[in-house]
Amino acid sequence: MSLTLLDKLWAAHEVRRNEDGQSLLWVDRHLVHEGSHHAFGKLAARGLPVAQPDLTFGVADHYAPTGNRNRITDPAIAKMLERLDTHAKQHGITLFGLDDPRQGIVHVIGPEQGLTLPGLQINCGDSHTSTHGAFGALAFGIGATEVAHVLATQTVWQTKPRAMRITIDGRLDPMISAKDIALHWIALLGTDGARGHAIEYAGEAVRALSMEGRMTLCNLSIEGGARLGMIAPDEVTYAYIKGRPFAPEGASWDAALMEWALLHSDEAAIFDREVSIDAAEIAPTLTWGTTPEQALPITGTLPDPADLPEGKARAASEALDYMGLHAGQALDGVPVDQVFLGSCTNARIEDLRIAAAVLRGRTARVPGIVSPGSMLIRAQAEREGLDRVFIDAGLDWVASGCSMCVGMNGDLVGAGKRCASSTNRNFRGRQGKGARTHLMSPAMVAAAAVTGTLTDPRPLMKGRL
Amino acid sequence: MAGWSRHDGTAVALPRDNIDTDQLIPARFMSASRAEGYGQFLLRDLREGDPDFPLDRFPQASILLAGRNFGCGSSREAAVYALVDAGIRCVIATGFGDIFAANAVNNGLLPARLAETPALMQALAGRTTSASIDLETSQIALNGATLQFDLAPVWRTKLINGWDDIDLTRAHLDDIRTFRDQRHKRHRWSWPASQNPQD
């Protein structure tokens, strides 16, 4: 029988299946963060220990200060960080805390530390856990009750999602990134376009992506409603993993490679849904509204709600109003107040390099923050001199965390302010109450910094890649 | 968690698509302890400055009808806590974010999928109606009609019984241990390498 990658990963983790169709799945890696406090509370209420502290890893990221870490003035933030520390110590969980040189965003440091591997099941109380699927892992976000369940049993109950394949054929222009692919398909299919499905990304353009690009693509699966996203592992995957601190070595590495080679959909495998996209059709894409499906090429003009189907007209009208934009307006040239380069979506070394390529020798016309995905990426960027490029341009080079993507640490966009952002959600108030977020690639964020407007990054990238 | 099979209450419409969990509870409230009650945070920023906001006009509402893709976005279970603590027992929509729906069921909140939701919301505009939900038959009676909603049977059973997964799973601890030991033996690579650069 021909199997999909999803079938293979699911079968490998199924402890049992009930008659009602629910599977009890084994969790190879459980990642927790400050927001997991509700789950630890549930565990404490039952007096239960963490079942597998050896497979559980903690990270301080959602509330991590990006400025001065020695003196946290907000008591609510200090409390969140302390609680994580206490729970990790109490249960013997390895913690990448604020003072750890490996600290960073959970979906960046999992792969960076070699904790994320092909063939694993990875869960975390965060919807962007789909990021880890880039390695051919079964990785999905869960809620607090499920986090407590994983802590207590190292398993999770799930109904198997339907299998969907998005194939990106052809070659991607070097100035187009994984972020553009993701925003393109989400605009095409909608924020619930992949609901109830596990997406496997395939095709020549996906194969040609670096691991960083693959992580960006899988990360955004949830914004199209998918339960998870994944890409079959290949030589690019193995080269990324080899030698990382928690990755297998020696005989264990050889055994892993044998198994990983089988982690792909069989040629005759049937998917519940197939979508094909021509890479040549994908332009630099950004969001203009308050949901990721409200996205357009930078060369586009804003829709007139009157021309839209009834179901979308009101949402578009409200979004234009909230965003301070009007129908028929060209996106290119809209002034921005600030930029943000960071988040689990786009703050890896490759993202910083491409943004720096656009910014080198140029000055930012608007203020902005650059928050690397991890402190190790930050150190690497400094070795490469990228920090100087950002600082010389006038941007703030800060520490690592979720930062302005979600604003929990106090890095907020002011009401009515427009932010060009490399993040994942343009929801109302996501970056701060009343904040206006435009999601885009790191290159377009850098171009927005240089011009002070939403703009096509391609002219500014010429001769610099 | 207490199970339930029938609820009689007041239904109100919130005719917006893509009400994400960031709107259901803005991030800045998420460090609060549950004991404080999360109902006060529900849709805080959307309600502010809108005296006609349906949940403020009709605070007795316990059944919420909403647009497509309700609860998309962040996995924060706090979004469900906010609804539950505000007295909401059921949300009716054409579809839900997957993680939100699972979180809802884990907290006794019914995420009922109903294709007729847009028409019902139109009929309800600006007013409330009494409604009855029967979980046993997956039916909702409101506005003079009885409609069949979609809910996975496993979730229906869970809501009715008020089951907690940890209790159920503990009956399978032997299976889990066997699975773990086999995985450790046959797929040793799947455990984190023991060496730790910090040690």
Side-chain angles (χ1 to χ4, degrees), chain A residues 22 30 45 48 138 199 241 243 266 284 290 297 322 339 360 413:
Chain A
Q22 288 244 100
H30 186 207
L48 290 173
L138 192 61
I199 300 176
I241 298 167
D266 297 334
T290 54
Y322 178 87
V339 301
R360 185 166 282 116
V413 176

Side-chain angles (χ1 to χ4, degrees), chain B residues 20-41:
Chain B
D20 54 75
T21 53
D22 274 85
Q23 290 184 76
L24 286 168
I25 180 166
R28 64 183 183 277
F29 301 123
M30 285 174 55
S31 57
S33 145
R34 180 75 188 274
E36 293 174 40
Y38 270 46
Q40 55 182 318
F41 308 133

Side-chain angles (χ1 to χ4, degrees), chain A residues 130-437:
Chain A
S130 58
T131 311
H132 308 264
F135 292 79
L138 192 61
F140 53 92
I142 52 179
T145 302
E146 293 170 313
V147 170
H149 186 274
V150 178
L151 288 172
T153 69
Q154 203 60 28
T155 61
V156 65
W157 287 102
Q158 283 290 304
T159 303
K160 192 176 176 185
R162 291 184 291 276
M164 174 171 176
R165 180 160 59 188
I166 298 183
T167 306
I168 317 286
D169 292 310
R171 292 174 67 174
L172 209 60
D173 182 292
M175 295 195 199
I176 308 293
S177 70
K179 183 64 158 283
D180 300 305
I181 301 178
L183 292 176
H184 179 89
W185 85 250
I186 295 166
L188 202 66
L189 303 181
T191 42
D192 52 358
R195 196 178 57 225
H197 288 79
I199 300 176
E200 180 178 346
Y201 297 97
E204 187 187 355
V206 173
R207 284 283 141 232
L209 289 174
S210 64
M211 283 318 296
E212 284 84 353
R214 294 179 189 188
M215 284 189 257
T216 300
L217 188 56
C218 288
N219 171 282
L220 290 162
S221 302
I222 180 78
E223 307 313 333
R227 196 73 188 84
L228 56 100
M230 54 194 174
I231 296 171
D234 59 14
E235 293 302 327
V236 176
T237 321
Y238 310 148
Y240 178 97
I241 298 167
K242 196 164 172 51
R244 295 201 177 254
F246 291 93
E249 281 189 320
S252 189
W253 172 259
D254 295 338
L257 279 183
M258 300 271 280
E259 290 192 38
W260 295 347
L262 307 172
L263 294 176
H264 55 80
S265 290
D266 297 334
E267 207 143 307
I270 310 273
F271 286 79
D272 298 297
R273 194 160 172 217
E274 292 255 26
V275 175
S276 277
I277 293 169
D278 180 357
E281 285 171 12
I282 303 173
T285 304
L286 77 164
T287 63
W288 55 267
T290 54
T291 156
E293 71 190 16
Q294 290 171 326
L296 281 170
I298 182 65
T299 50
T301 53
L302 290 166
D304 186 341
D307 301 335
L308 295 175
E310 196 184 307
K312 300 214 163 188
R314 181 175 162 187
S317 164
E318 286 176 350
L320 287 173
D321 191 41
Y322 178 87
M323 295 296 290
L325 300 167
H326 58 82
Q329 191 175 358
L331 274 168
D332 202 324
V334 171
V336 300
D337 298 296
Q338 61 197 94
V339 301
F340 177 63
L341 182 59
S343 86
C344 61
T345 307
N346 276 125
R348 298 182 178 81
I349 191 68
E350 184 183 280
D351 301 317
L352 300 183
R353 283 178 190 146
I354 201 154
V358 172
L359 278 160
R360 185 166 282 116
R362 292 172 171 151
T363 306
R365 291 200 183 177
V366 292
I369 293 177
V370 183
S371 176
S374 73
M375 293 307 274
L376 290 179
I377 291 174
R378 190 173 194 269
Q380 184 179 348
E382 289 177 354
R383 285 196 299 275
E384 296 180 17
L386 305 182
D387 58 322
R388 289 314 318 170
V389 175
F390 296 119
I391 293 166
D392 290 348
L395 300 178
D396 289 337
W397 176 249
V398 303
S400 179
C402 298
S403 184
M404 201 175 268
C405 176
V406 67
M408 288 176 173
N409 73 337
D411 292 345
L412 292 164
V413 176
K417 297 291 185 196
R418 187 177 308 284
C419 182
S421 186
S422 71
T423 55
N424 43 57
R425 288 187 174 133
N426 54 338
F427 299 159
R428 285 168 178 262
R430 168 80 176 184
Q431 291 190 295
K433 199 171 161 182
R436 294 166 170 168
T437 304

Side-chain angles (χ1 to χ4, degrees), chain A residues 26 28-29 46 52 54 102 143-145 149 157 191-192 195-196 245-246 259 293 318 425 430 433, chain B residues 16 18 22 48 68 73-74 77 96 98 103 164 167 169 179-180 183 187 189-191 193 195 198:
Chain A
W26 173 255
D28 295 302
R29 298 286 184 277
R46 290 166 165 273
Q52 298 283 159
D54 54 336
R102 303 166 297 178
T145 302
H149 186 274
W157 287 102
T191 42
D192 52 358
R195 196 178 57 225
F246 291 93
E259 290 192 38
E293 71 190 16
E318 286 176 350
R425 288 187 174 133
R430 168 80 176 184
K433 199 171 161 182
Chain B
R16 283 172 176 272
N18 290 311
D22 274 85
E48 201 177 85
R68 78 174 172 96
S74 158
E77 198 161 300
F96 295 89
D98 288 330
N103 290 343
D164 183 297
D167 291 330
T169 305
F179 186 96
R180 177 195 63 189
R183 188 150 178 83
H187 311 276
W189 59 267
S190 73
W191 252 254
Q195 88 281 6
Q198 290 290 293

Side-chain angles (χ1 to χ4, degrees), chain B residues 2-20:
Chain B
W4 61 280
S5 55
R6 194 182 164 84
H7 173 70
D8 299 304
T10 302
V12 68
L14 186 59
R16 283 172 176 272
D17 291 338
N18 290 311
I19 294 180
D20 54 75

Side-chain angles (χ1 to χ4, degrees), chain A residues 96-111:
Chain A
F96 303 100
L98 280 192
D99 53 358
D100 192 308
R102 303 166 297 178
Q103 181 268 341
I105 307 171
V106 62
H107 308 310
V108 175
I109 70 170

